[in-house]
Amino acid sequence: MRVPYARQSISEDDISAVVEILKGEYLTQGPAVERFEESVANYCGAPFAIAMNSATSALHLACLALDLGPNDILWTSAITFVASANCGVYCGAKVDFVDIDLVTHNISLSALEEKFRNAEQQGCLPAVLIVVHFSGEPAELEPIKKLADRYGCRVIEDASHAIGARYKGAAIGSCWHSDITVFSFHPVKVITTGEGGMALTRDPALAQRMRLLRSHGITRSEAEFEGPTDGPWYYEQIMLGYNYRMTDIAAALGSQQLLRIDKFIDARHRLAANYDQALAALPLTRPHRNAGARSSLHLYVIRVGEDDNRRAVFEFLRASGVMVNVHYIPVYRHPFYKSMGYSPGSFPAAEKYYASAISLPMYAALSDNEQQLVIDAVGKALS
Ligand SMILES: *Cc1c(COP(=O)(O)O)cnc(C)c1O
């Protein structure tokens, strides 16, 4: 048996919904995309949702909508997928990282506070902070937003792990503590569209800019034209945009998946409770879950003894058919970023985390037998 670390759950209804689109009129962005946007906006309690072909695209357009440019600085968590940082580089901005909290694995509030204070003194405050809800565990949005406001910094939530998560009684995606929230629908995430992403916001102007940027910067709305219309065929390109559209095929799958999201997350919580109990006596750190929030449990990350020991445990698990993974290599350690001069010494918690983290298999369709295989293998690896 071979147990992957993540896997999509596709039902017959999901398949029928996609087949219906294939028999219909629209394949690229059409009414199914609009329906999916409306469903996600309703689910999260945000007024505007803009579907795109990936979360990476959504992060890029979120930065552009906030006017991030070549003289600006973007900060994000040291432990995240590279896309949380790359979006800043796409805009020509300088990227820097904030160390993590070793309990939550989210951005450290005290490190962030100190970094803001130093940046103010040195005159290099960031224009945008990208907060990552790592593993689906909501970051401390309220104090983070307060800090960012004090220093005039806009906030984007990279909620690629966190659709379905809740913070202080509101869904992640409601954008009460950020300018824009971004979701990913990659197959390893909580719900999938194959490839896909979405940006949510409460700000109609940001929503409109992201809609324009998603499709070449072209508008067909006469209210937005700069010149007079030439006739019924007329449209105008009023800014430089991209083709980041989602297809109706993908959106139909997304809408079907969204119907089951709470079931998926309940299943993840049941599996996490099993892991918590079965691994309690072993020499490892289990993931923290904040009592005041509901994690979407995209990942279940354990931490084992550092360095060589982690590698031995990882290799033993892989050899046992448990396809564990490491999320993530600290972004500043990648050659592309290393060449910009970051020093691992600046991020002691991220280094410590990276030396010890292993992501165990976690997905709604993980069977009891498969989970038992994982639990037995972890037990053997650590005995
Ligand atoms: C998956 C992921 C992304 C990118 O998502 P795509 O939809 O694959 O572009 C960005 N940030 C984080 C934290 C992710 O996990």
Side-chain angles (χ1 to χ4, degrees), residues 81-148:
F81 184 55
V82 292
S84 318
N86 289 347
C87 55
V89 182
Y90 296 157
C91 299
K94 186 179 173 299
V95 170
D96 200 358
F97 303 98
V98 186
D99 207 1
I100 62 161
D101 179 299
L102 271 175
V103 175
T104 64
H105 305 154
N106 278 322
I107 218 165
S108 153
L109 202 55
S110 55
L112 182 65
E113 226 166 349
E114 190 186 330
K115 203 173 172 81
F116 266 126
R117 259 200 315 274
N118 291 339
E120 187 180 40
Q121 275 166 11
Q122 290 158 17
C124 55
L125 282 168
V128 171
L129 170 67
I130 298 196
V131 177
V132 181
H133 303 300
F134 182 82
S135 79
E137 175 71 30
E140 296 172 86
L141 284 172
E142 208 172 83
I144 288 171
K145 181 65 163 63
K146 253 187 216 151
L147 256 181

Side-chain angles (χ1 to χ4, degrees), residues 53-330:
N53 58 359
S54 72
T56 303
S57 299
L59 286 166
H60 182 197
L61 297 196
C63 288
L64 286 177
L66 293 173
D67 277 325
L68 188 76
N71 297 315
D72 293 325
I73 299 168
L74 174 142
W75 289 357
T76 191
S77 174
I79 299 291
T80 183
F81 184 55
V82 292
S84 318
N86 289 347
C87 55
V89 182
Y90 296 157
C91 299
K94 186 179 173 299
V95 170
D96 200 358
F97 303 98
V98 186
D99 207 1
I100 62 161
D101 179 299
L102 271 175
V103 175
T104 64
H105 305 154
N106 278 322
I107 218 165
S108 153
L109 202 55
S110 55
L112 182 65
E113 226 166 349
E114 190 186 330
K115 203 173 172 81
F116 266 126
R117 259 200 315 274
N118 291 339
E120 187 180 40
Q121 275 166 11
Q122 290 158 17
C124 55
L125 282 168
V128 171
L129 170 67
I130 298 196
V131 177
V132 181
H133 303 300
F134 182 82
S135 79
E137 175 71 30
E140 296 172 86
L141 284 172
E142 208 172 83
I144 288 171
K145 181 65 163 63
K146 253 187 216 151
L147 256 181
D149 282 348
R150 192 194 306 161
Y151 292 101
C153 175
R154 311 296 291 269
V155 176
I156 298 170
E157 294 171 66
D158 181 347
S160 293
H161 299 180
I163 188 168
R166 298 184 70 81
Y167 172 80
K168 298 211 167 174
I172 293 294
S174 56
C175 300
W176 289 116
H177 307 288
S178 65
D179 295 289
I180 298 167
T181 300
V182 168
F183 292 138
S184 171
F185 307 123
H186 182 282
V188 299
K189 309 290 164 78
V190 178
I191 60 169
T192 189
T193 59
E195 294 275 8
M198 199 175 280
L200 289 87
T201 182
R202 310 197 72 81
D203 181 331
L206 291 178
Q208 188 50 18
R209 280 201 80 183
M210 289 191 283
R211 260 187 220 114
L212 277 168
L213 288 164
R214 167 177 69 176
S215 197
H216 309 283
I218 284 174
T219 178
R220 290 176 185 278
S221 150
E222 217 173 321
E224 288 177 324
F225 290 168
E226 289 180 11
T229 170
D230 294 347
W233 62 87
Y234 191 68
Y235 58 83
E236 279 188 353
Q237 185 193 338
I238 56 175
M239 59 175 76
L240 182 63
Y242 302 82
N243 178 354
Y244 283 171
R245 293 185 304 261
M246 178 180 275
T247 66
D248 261 25
I249 305 166
L253 176 57
S255 288
Q256 280 298 318
Q257 290 260 304
L258 188 68
L259 298 174
R260 303 206 301 290
I261 187 169
D262 292 326
K263 275 192 198 136
F264 290 160
I265 292 175
D266 287 347
R268 288 170 179 272
H269 275 268
R270 190 182 60 79
L271 292 163
N274 291 346
Y275 275 142
D276 284 348
Q277 196 183 16
L279 307 178
L282 294 172
L284 56 82
T285 310
R286 287 165 291 139
H288 165 87
R289 288 198 287 292
N290 195 331
R294 180 165 170 84
S295 174
S296 58
L297 277 163
H298 165 55
L299 299 174
Y300 189 95
V301 178
I302 57 167
R303 285 180 37 223
V304 299
E306 287 168 29
D307 303 325
D308 297 346
N309 185 21
R310 190 271 304 265
R311 181 169 182 153
V313 171
F314 187 97
E315 284 177 344
F316 181 90
L317 290 172
R318 281 264 174 116
S320 315
V322 180
M323 294 297 113
V324 284
N325 223 318
V326 172
H327 298 94
Y328 293 92
I329 301 163

